[in-house]
Structure formats: structure tokens, C-alpha cells
Amino acid sequence: MSRIRPSKFAHVVYRTRRFEQMLEWYQMVFDARIQHRDSVLAFLTYDDEHHRFAFVDLSALQPGGEEGGARGLIGVDHVAYTYASLQDLFANYEQLKANGILPYWCVHHGMTVSMYYADPDGNQMEFQVDVFATSEESNAFMCGPINAANPIGVEFDPEDWLARMREGVPISDFVERRIHEPMSPIRGTLGK
Ligand SMILES: [Fe+2]
């Protein structure tokens, strides 16, 4: 079986204690627009991708943390790559698993089905599949009430999904999320 590769680079997520300044800077420098924001997260894009940047406001998430005291938390949270299909995402999961590489977080974000991995240095990356066929649908979801109520997503067990796929449950049953709670914690560096 040939190795699975991403179909494209998707986005980068930064953790910041200069939330407003960062949003202004990225809007100005990339001519980006804010797709969705709440008190902790903001998602921006400059093209028809649902988001090219996201920002996590550490001041809201971890109030009282000082810039110096939070050393290591400021900066890149993760980068994201899009795979062509859910079959590709899971074939990649199985190939990596055979090499002893497992995701630390599997979450259905609503707009994407995502598996997060860390490299040997601990750099975090998201391997994702788009749920919606068009950017209009993705944008509508991102700006809609389901995403406002749960902007993180719902966790899933990849082994459970694989077992059900092998039983013949159609791929389409996994792609569009029908259960919108409970909201997953953010896992990875921030969740430690
Ligand atoms: Fe992401």
C-alpha cells in the first residue's frame, strides 16, 4: 500500500497574550477577515479556506499567567494539513500506528474530523479532513449556532470508528457530526 500524503497545508494556530493586537496585525498584513471569534478563540482567513489562522487567547484561558512565567506557551500551538478523504485519514492513522506513532487527540471539530500528533520535539500538528464539500457550507457552520455552543468539538475513538467502518457503516455516517456534545477539552500542550 502506498503511503498517504496530505492534499494541502491548511492553517496555523497561535497562542497569544496579545489577542487583539494579533488579530489586528493578521487582518492588516494578510488582508484577513475574522470568520468567528469568542472570548477565547478567533478564526481568520484570507481565501476560501474556512480558516488559515486561529488564535487562542491565553489571557482568557489562563488569566494571571505572566508573559515570562508562561514561557513556552506563547507561539505556535499547531499546524494543520488536510487529507483528501476520511479513508485517507484513517489509512494514514493505520500506517503511522504500525510505526508506533499514535495521535494524542482525536476530535470531530464539526467542520473537520481531526487527529492531532506530536513530533519528537513535541511540535503539534493536526491531520484533518473537511466535513463539508463547499467553503460556503464550512463558513456557514463556523459562523452558526452549533459552533458557537461548542467551538472545540467532540472526541472520538479511532479504533471504535475503524471497527464500525469494517462492519460496513458508510463513511458518510462518520463525516457529518450528528452529536454536538460533550465539548472536548483542548488536549496537547494547553491541556497538560
Ligand atoms: Fe486546527
Side-chain angles (χ1 to χ4, degrees), residues 14-149:
Y14 295 107
R15 299 179 292 244
T16 181
R17 289 191 187 276
R18 297 185 182 86
F19 195 58
E20 297 298 338
Q21 274 175 268
M22 290 286 271
L23 296 188
E24 267 177 40
W25 197 92
Y26 279 84
Q27 285 179 92
M28 194 270 281
V29 170
F30 287 88
D31 194 25
R33 62 183 183 277
I34 295 175
Q35 290 279 84
H36 171 76
R37 68 172 292 182
D38 57 34
S39 57
V40 176
L41 297 165
F43 299 86
L44 278 68
T45 193
Y46 50 73
D47 60 10
D48 59 5
E49 180 73 8
H50 41 75
H51 65 293
R52 289 294 184 186
F53 307 103
F55 298 89
V56 181
D57 186 355
L58 283 179
S59 305
L61 208 61
Q62 298 179 345
E66 291 303 315
E67 192 77 7
R71 210 173 179 84
L73 273 186
I74 302 293
V76 174
D77 181 80
H78 68 268
V79 295
Y81 302 87
T82 298
Y83 285 74
S85 66
L86 198 71
Q87 290 95 325
D88 269 12
L89 185 74
F90 273 80
N92 186 55
Y93 165 81
E94 290 197 282
Q95 289 179 351
L96 295 181
K97 186 184 165 193
N99 286 287
I101 298 167
L102 288 167
Y104 62 83
W105 188 28
C106 294
V107 59
H108 194 318
H109 281 307
M111 289 170 311
T112 62
V113 177
S114 298
M115 296 184 183
Y116 288 78
Y117 289 81
D119 72 14
D121 275 348
N123 297 306
Q124 301 179 149
M125 65 204 72
E126 174 184 17
F127 295 161
Q128 67 178 25
V129 173
D130 273 314
V131 165
F132 300 108
T134 66
S135 52
E136 288 76 19
E137 290 171 284
S138 291
N139 291 336
F141 181 91
M142 178 163 258
C143 303
I146 294 171
N147 196 46

